[in-house]
Amino acid sequence: MTPDRRGLLVGAAAALATPAWSRDPADLVLTGRMVQGGFVMGRTWPRALIFIGGEALATASDGGLFVVGFDRDAPTSVVLEARSGARSERRTLPVARGQFPSTRIDGLPPSTVEPSDPALLKRIQREVAIKTEGFASRHDGDDFRSGFDWPLASFRVSSEWGSQRVLNGTPARPHYGIDLAAPQGTSIRAPADGVVTLAQPGMHFEGGLTLIDHGQGLITAYLHQSRIDVLPTQRISRGQVIGAVGMTGRATGPHLCWRMRWRDRQMNPALMVGQSAPESGYRSGRA
């Protein structure tokens, strides 16, 4: 079965607003999906600082490329600015609202919904620290530049990204992954180049978990794996097998929960599929 893309591309990509005072549009070229859970990729001066809402959050690569993610609850307008010495360019980006359904899942073990055992709670705290360290990676690169492939060759979307979840009748936090149902043991392939920051089997909620840093804090996560084939700090290439689909952790059937995060912002990885950064390299004629 081919990938089911229905419901994945939430909202239409809004047009980028370019201020009339911009002296040279080539100084800041943007592309992306302007929607909650989406992103923008840009090209500007090499090593320029990238400000979001006045806060410096990223540094462009040697080729001038950068990425910014929009959270599920991102505001409907975001100000992005690139600064390099005395030079600066600014854009006001409209961000469309997403449409997030409600999903009900029953039959989960109670300990994975409302854990209360003291020993289990200590284990969960330890695992939170492990995940926090993995997500804190800031690989200085732009492996995101060519966009992303689907991590599975064939799948069925069993749960959409951003849905409000009700677990065993209890309202839970939104689902920050997209669930790709596939047979146990199906190969999971890296959707883009990157560096492994975590490869940990047996996590309480996630089961077999792998994190990959694609540059500048853009990190993808692969949950519920039955097998992990990579190691922390390992450099991997697009298409490389990193593990296998399973149903470990909090899962009721074999599937891959695929997640993406830019710094502390939760993103929809499906919106990255088939996208790419603006033409590589800064090409403005300005000095």
Side-chain angles (χ1 to χ4, degrees):
M1 182 181 297
T2 57
D4 181 356
R5 291 168 172 76
R6 292 177 298 175
L8 301 184
L9 306 183
V10 184
L16 295 177
T18 304
W21 49 259
S22 179
R23 294 165 295 175
D24 188 345
D27 286 343
L28 181 58
V29 181
L30 304 175
T31 186
R33 303 301 302 272
M34 303 296 151
V35 64
Q36 289 174 329
F39 69 97
V40 63
M41 285 194 245
R43 171 171 55 81
T44 187
W45 304 289
R47 314 309 297 179
L49 290 176
I50 307 303
F51 290 75
I52 304 297
E55 182 181 3
L57 292 179
T59 301
S61 68
D62 289 337
L65 297 178
F66 66 89
V67 64
V68 169
F70 301 127
D71 195 73
R72 180 185 183 274
D73 300 316
T76 57
S77 180
V78 173
V79 177
L80 182 152
E81 183 177 7
R83 298 181 191 174
S84 178
R87 302 174 295 186
S88 68
E89 288 291 342
R90 179 183 296 184
R91 301 287 187 273
T92 298
L93 311 180
V95 180
R97 293 191 182 278
Q99 297 179 355
F100 307 115
S102 178
T103 301
R104 184 182 183 93
I105 301 177
D106 296 313
L108 292 167
S111 64
T112 65
V113 179
E114 296 181 290
S116 58
D117 179 72
L120 177 56
L121 291 174
K122 287 184 178 179
R123 173 188 170 186
I124 292 172
Q125 288 178 344
R126 289 194 301 270
E127 293 180 354
V128 166
I130 292 172
K131 290 181 287 185
T132 298
E133 182 177 358
F135 277 116
S137 175
R138 298 292 183 265
H139 172 56
D140 183 18
D142 52 18
D143 289 325
F144 54 81
R145 62 187 177 276
S146 298
F148 288 72
D149 297 329
W150 291 102
L152 302 181
S154 180
F155 59 86
R156 175 181 59 84
V157 175
S158 56
S159 182
E160 297 178 9
W161 184 88
S163 59
Q164 178 61 56
R165 285 196 150 178
V166 180
L167 306 179
N168 291 358
T170 301
R173 64 185 299 189
H175 183 219
Y176 291 125
I178 178 170
D179 287 349
L180 311 179
Q184 179 102 352
T186 298
S187 292
I188 303 169
R189 297 183 181 274
D193 294 352
V195 176
V196 177
T197 68
L198 179 67
Q200 184 70 41
M203 301 287 276
H204 178 67
F205 292 116
E206 299 86 0
L209 172 64
T210 298
L211 303 182
I212 301 175
D213 186 342
H214 303 282
Q216 302 178 19
L218 184 68
I219 296 176
T220 50
Y222 308 82
L223 286 66
H224 310 306
Q225 295 177 82
S226 60
R227 189 186 75 243
I228 295 175
D229 296 339
V230 293
L231 297 171
T233 74
Q234 181 178 343
R235 176 80 185 176
I236 58 171
S237 302
R238 178 193 295 264
Q240 180 177 338
V241 175
I242 62 172
V245 170
M247 53 179 295
T248 56
R250 186 166 69 186
T252 58
H255 73 282
L256 171 66
C257 178
W258 186 27
R259 300 188 177 191
M260 178 178 285
R261 185 186 294 187
W262 182 72
R263 301 179 182 266
D264 61 345
R265 293 157 172 79
Q266 303 284 352
M267 300 167 60
N268 182 353
L271 296 178
M272 276 281 194
V273 174
Q275 304 293 312
S276 60
E279 184 179 358
S280 296
Y282 171 62
R283 293 180 177 272
S284 172
R286 292 178 59 190

